[in-house]
């Protein structure tokens, strides 16, 4: 993620009223030096928790001077899927559980761990309390409050299974807004960790061995799934996901094969599975959803470094539009 700042003549609350801007794409390997301008289009506005007052954070996506989205602009295609009338009619909701690891600066080792050594085995750290179990809570709480101030639909935080690892949840959020909000929440986290002199890692398996990896479990529902009889719609959607398992895995984050091993509450990356209350499955259906006969399900495959624009739009594309790969 990158950012730059500019001064406006006065307060703005509508992204359409913000000017387009540019940056030097040759410095980011996104444009050649002889035609280096990449144009950024303002797409979503959030209150700025750092400068506060009338200041804003603006989520932008990037285009060539001719108006074509650059290859790394995944928002453009996601917006096309979410604006499809069949998708819009289903009002897709997302709740994304973003896991991440806080690292000691310069040594690339989790916060709270002895440098070059290991803490005690996993068990007491998940949702743990105490100086010997919880590392980085000041950063995590500051991030929580900053996201609330910014207007992000952050619904909770918790300490994760591996010490130094945490999670925040964004949602329920509708459509393209889910991707916007997860990216801005990540940005705010990076800024707060920067102030603290701590590094944020979204690597799906930051420490080899008998330690939990980091994912971005994606909870999902449509209007039909949330309505009476929705469990049947959920089962059909899961079947559609099973038929595109390889395509989804390919888009669900780099290095995910190091995490999806069939151990540490994950499914094997090569096999699609689903079950009720099964955290070792590719897709989990909650007990309440089964009991109520409607609700949502959780895709547990996305890695912590996934692009939320890609994952959310792909789930909608597969389950609502019924895309099938040749």
């Amino acid at each position: 993620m990158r950012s730059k700042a500019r001064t406006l003549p006065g307060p703005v609350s509508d992204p359409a009223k913000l000017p387009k801007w540019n940056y030097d794409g040759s410095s980011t390997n996104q444009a050649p030096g002889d035609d280096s301008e990449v144009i950024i289009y303002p797409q979503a506005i959030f209150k700025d928790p750092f400068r506060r007052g009338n200041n804003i954070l603006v989520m932008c996506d990037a285009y060539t001077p001719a108006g074509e989205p650059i290859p790394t602009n995944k928002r453009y295609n996601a917006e096309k899927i979410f604006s499809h009338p069949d998708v819009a009619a289903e009002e897709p909701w997302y709740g994304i559980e973003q896991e991440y690891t806080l690292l000691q600066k310069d040594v690339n080792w989790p916060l709270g761990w002895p440098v070059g050594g290991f803490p005690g085995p996993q068990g007491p750290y998940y949702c743990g309390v105490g100086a010997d179990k919880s590392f980085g809570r000041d950063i995590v709480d500051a991030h929580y409050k900053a996201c609330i101030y910014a207007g992000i639909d952050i619904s909770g935080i918790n300490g994760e299974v591996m010490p130094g690892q945490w999670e925040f949840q964004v949602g329920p959020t509708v459509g393209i807004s889910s991707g916007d909000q997860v990216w801005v929440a990540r940005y705010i986290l990076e800024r707060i960790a920067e102030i603290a002199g701590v590094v944020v890692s979204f690597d799906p398996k930051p420490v080899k061995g008998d330690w939990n990896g980091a994912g971005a479990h994606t909870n999902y529902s449509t209007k039909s799934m949330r309505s009476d009889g929705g469990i049947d719609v959920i089962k059909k959607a899961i079947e559609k996901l099973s038929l595109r398992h390889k395509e989804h895995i390919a888009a669900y984050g780099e290095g995910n094969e190091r995490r999806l091993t069939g151990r540490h509450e994950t499914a094997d990356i090569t096999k699609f599975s689903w079950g009720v209350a099964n955290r070792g499955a590719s897709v989990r259906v909650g007990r309440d959803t089964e009991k109520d006969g409607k609700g949502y399900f959780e895709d547990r495959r996305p890695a912590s470094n996934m692009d939320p624009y890609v994952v959310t739009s792909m789930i909608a594309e597969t389950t609502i539009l019924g895309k099938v790969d040749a």
Side-chain angles (χ1 to χ4, degrees), residues 81-143:
I81 292 169
F82 284 120
S83 61
H84 189 289
D86 292 348
V87 175
E90 281 289 353
E91 296 176 12
W93 290 6
Y94 298 91
I96 294 178
E97 306 172 33
Q98 176 68 71
E99 295 177 347
Y100 60 95
T101 308
L102 297 175
L103 302 179
Q104 302 170 56
K105 192 167 176 269
D106 301 325
V107 296
N108 199 37
W109 203 235
L111 197 66
W113 291 35
V115 176
F118 296 88
Q122 295 180 159
Y125 309 108
Y126 176 68
C127 298
V129 178
D132 58 341
K133 303 179 192 70
S134 177
F135 311 113
R137 190 183 298 276
D138 50 348
I139 294 170
V140 172
D141 274 351
H143 174 249

Side-chain angles (χ1 to χ4, degrees), residues 27-261:
S27 296
T28 63
N29 295 317
Q30 293 173 308
D34 59 356
D35 188 14
S36 64
E37 284 192 5
V38 175
I39 315 302
I40 49 178
Y41 292 20
Q43 299 290 1
I45 289 176
F46 300 86
K47 292 171 65 179
D48 185 343
F50 302 102
R51 294 188 175 99
R52 297 188 288 181
N54 286 328
N55 297 291
I56 55 176
L57 298 178
V58 182
M59 183 66 196
C60 302
D61 59 352
Y63 297 80
T64 67
E68 295 294 322
I70 66 172
T72 51
N73 179 356
K74 306 303 182 184
R75 191 186 193 280
Y76 179 80
N77 280 331
E79 175 63 24
K80 287 204 295 187
I81 292 169
F82 284 120
S83 61
H84 189 289
D86 292 348
V87 175
E90 281 289 353
E91 296 176 12
W93 290 6
Y94 298 91
I96 294 178
E97 306 172 33
Q98 176 68 71
E99 295 177 347
Y100 60 95
T101 308
L102 297 175
L103 302 179
Q104 302 170 56
K105 192 167 176 269
D106 301 325
V107 296
N108 199 37
W109 203 235
L111 197 66
W113 291 35
V115 176
F118 296 88
Q122 295 180 159
Y125 309 108
Y126 176 68
C127 298
V129 178
D132 58 341
K133 303 179 192 70
S134 177
F135 311 113
R137 190 183 298 276
D138 50 348
I139 294 170
V140 172
D141 274 351
H143 174 249
Y144 195 1
K145 288 184 275 190
C147 284
I148 290 172
Y149 178 90
I152 290 167
D153 298 322
I154 187 165
S155 47
I157 58 168
N158 60 268
E160 267 305 326
V161 179
M162 190 181 83
Q165 195 176 78
W166 294 84
E167 172 183 300
F168 65 87
Q169 302 96 32
V170 173
T173 306
V174 181
I176 196 72
S177 182
S178 179
D180 290 338
Q181 292 196 28
V182 170
W183 272 118
V184 173
R186 286 173 172 177
Y187 172 78
I188 292 172
L189 177 62
E190 293 267 21
R191 286 281 303 275
I192 289 172
E194 174 188 311
I195 294 166
V198 171
V199 174
V200 178
S201 171
F202 294 107
D203 190 289
K205 187 72 173 180
V207 181
K208 295 179 181 178
D210 195 19
W211 302 97
N212 272 39
H217 301 153
T218 301
N219 299 276
Y220 169 70
S221 71
T222 63
K223 184 187 288 186
S224 298
M225 294 175 192
R226 298 187 294 268
S227 303
D228 289 343
I231 191 68
D232 293 329
V233 182
I234 288 173
K235 289 177 180 177
K236 288 175 184 174
I238 292 172
E239 183 181 0
K240 291 176 182 177
L241 289 173
S242 73
L243 298 174
R244 291 190 80 201
H245 178 61
K246 287 184 180 179
E247 290 77 16
H248 279 255
I249 287 294
Y252 274 16
E254 293 183 16
N256 211 9
E257 72 282 352
R258 293 183 281 116
R259 167 181 160 262
L260 294 180
T261 61

